[in-house]
């Protein structure tokens, strides 16, 4: 359901959803992401804005790694050249175990 409004009483908080449903409780936990309406309601903070970063993501199969790169498989590696950040880590292949050498 889409949250559209929040009202705060002295000891309760009430949420209102687009379909007309209301829910109230002692505490509201906002987990509504980067452009959180809950955060905007609770804090007069500015909206996030683009800071100029670009992120590139890529996945390479373990078997295709050169031997020198396989030495990094047990690491969560950070590389910090000037004005850049590179990080590398293992992620499980779809529908397989996370065992070393296991491929899709
Ligand atoms: C491309 C990319 C790659 C990432 N990679 C990683 C990673 O490798 N490791 C890592 O730790 N983090 C990663 N992150 C960051 C991570 O995804 C976020 O920090 C995390 O998902 C934030 O969780 P959240 O619950 O606050 O918000 P979200 O996951 O954004 O969830 C917010 C939810 O609230 C819902 N919502 C929004 N507004 C309303 C509303 N008004 N009413 C009802 N529902 C609403 C949305 O539909 C969404 O389902 C990545 C992010 C991106 C964009």
């Amino acid at each position: 359901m889409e949250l559209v409004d929040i009202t705060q009483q002295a000891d309760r908080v009430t949420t209102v959803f687009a379909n007309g449903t209301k829910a109230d409780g002692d505490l509201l936990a906002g987990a509504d992401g980067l452009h959180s309406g809950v955060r905007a309601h609770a804090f007069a903070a500015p909206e996030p804005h683009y800071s100029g970063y670009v992120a590139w993501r890529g996945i390479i199969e373990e078997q295709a790694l050169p031997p020198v790169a396989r030495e990094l498989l047990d690491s969560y590696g950070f590389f910090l050249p000037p004005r850049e950040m590179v990080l590398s880590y293992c992620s499980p292949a779809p529908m397989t175990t996370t065992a070393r050498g296991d491929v899709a």
Side-chain angles (χ1 to χ4, degrees):
M1 298 188 297
E2 182 191 356
L3 179 72
V4 293
D5 197 18
I6 303 164
T7 54
Q8 173 86 58
Q9 300 90 47
D11 58 353
R12 303 291 286 168
V13 60
T14 302
T15 51
V16 182
F17 296 91
N19 64 3
T21 306
K22 291 184 178 181
D24 69 349
D26 297 328
L27 180 72
L28 172 64
D32 51 346
L34 180 64
H35 299 284
S36 170
V38 175
R39 183 181 55 233
H41 184 271
F43 306 105
E47 267 289 291
H49 66 276
Y50 177 58
S51 62
Y53 289 105
V54 176
W56 299 90
R57 294 171 73 93
I59 291 182
I60 186 167
E61 288 187 0
E62 183 184 334
Q63 270 62 17
L65 288 170
V68 67
R70 288 185 198 179
E71 292 175 20
L72 297 172
L73 286 174
D74 292 322
S75 306
Y76 195 104
F78 284 84
F79 310 91
L80 299 166
R83 298 176 54 81
E84 293 179 33
M85 184 181 81
V86 182
L87 60 94
S88 70
Y89 53 91
C90 288
S91 64
M95 310 302 288
T96 67
T97 70
T98 54
R100 185 57 44 84
D102 203 359
V103 293

